[in-house]
Amino acid sequence: PPPASPDVPRGGAPRVPEGVLRQVPGGRLGHGASEEGGSGCRVHPLGGGGGGGGKRVYVGNLSWECQWQDLKDHMRSVGEVLHADVLSGPDGRSKGCGLVEYATPEEAQRAIVELNDTELMGRMVFVREDREAR
C-alpha cells in the first residue's frame, strides 16, 4: 500500500486543516467543533486559538444549576477572569459546559493544571484549553 499521507491518518478520515469549516454532528457548521461526550455540549465559537497559549479555557461537566457567576467565582482562584459564560441551548437550558477567559495565557494554563478535576456545585469539572479559533 502507498505510504500514509500526513493529512490522512492510517485507517482514518482526512484531517481538517485549522480554520477550515466542516460539518459537525447535528448539521451545524463549525471550525472543527466537536461534540463532548454525552452532554450535547458543543465548543463555543468564541475560541482561544487551538494552537496552545490561548487565554480561554473550556469547562465541562457543570451542574445544570451552575450560572456564569458561580463559574467565575470558582475559576478566579488562579487568575483574573475577564469573562465567564455557561453555554445554553435555544430553549435556555444549560448545556453543562462553559468558557472562561483569563487576562493572560499563563493564568489559563494555571487553571488547566490546578482546577481540572475540582468540585463545583457537587460535580467534578474538567478544564482544558479551548480548542476553537476566534
Side-chain angles (χ1 to χ4, degrees):
S5 162
D7 293 330
V8 180
R10 287 189 191 275
R15 289 191 181 103
V16 178
E18 188 91 19
V20 172
L21 288 176
R22 69 180 175 120
Q23 194 76 25
V24 295
R28 296 170 140 169
L29 289 176
H31 290 277
S34 63
E35 182 102 13
E36 284 302 317
S39 71
C41 193
R42 294 185 193 282
V43 177
H44 197 273
L46 296 176
K55 297 188 290 183
R56 291 183 189 263
V57 296
Y58 174 91
V59 185
N61 201 36
L62 295 176
S63 162
W64 302 122
E65 291 77 34
C66 185
Q67 301 292 312
W68 69 265
Q69 298 95 330
D70 304 312
L71 180 58
K72 184 173 183 175
D73 289 345
H74 183 72
M75 303 301 285
R76 70 166 30 129
S77 67
V78 297
E80 181 185 357
V81 175
L82 300 180
H83 184 80
D85 189 25
V86 173
L87 304 183
S88 57
D91 60 358
R93 284 185 29 157
S94 170
K95 289 187 172 187
C97 59
L99 290 172
V100 177
E101 181 176 6
Y102 285 94
T104 68
E106 293 77 21
E107 290 170 333
Q109 190 60 43
R110 187 172 170 208
I112 293 167
V113 171
E114 295 184 27
L115 296 177
N116 188 46
D117 290 328
T118 57
E119 187 176 325
L120 172 60
M121 299 180 73
R123 295 182 63 98
M124 297 299 286
V125 297
F126 66 87
V127 181
R128 66 161 168 75
E129 179 182 352
D130 179 29
R131 298 177 185 147
E132 292 300 301
R134 193 171 253 250

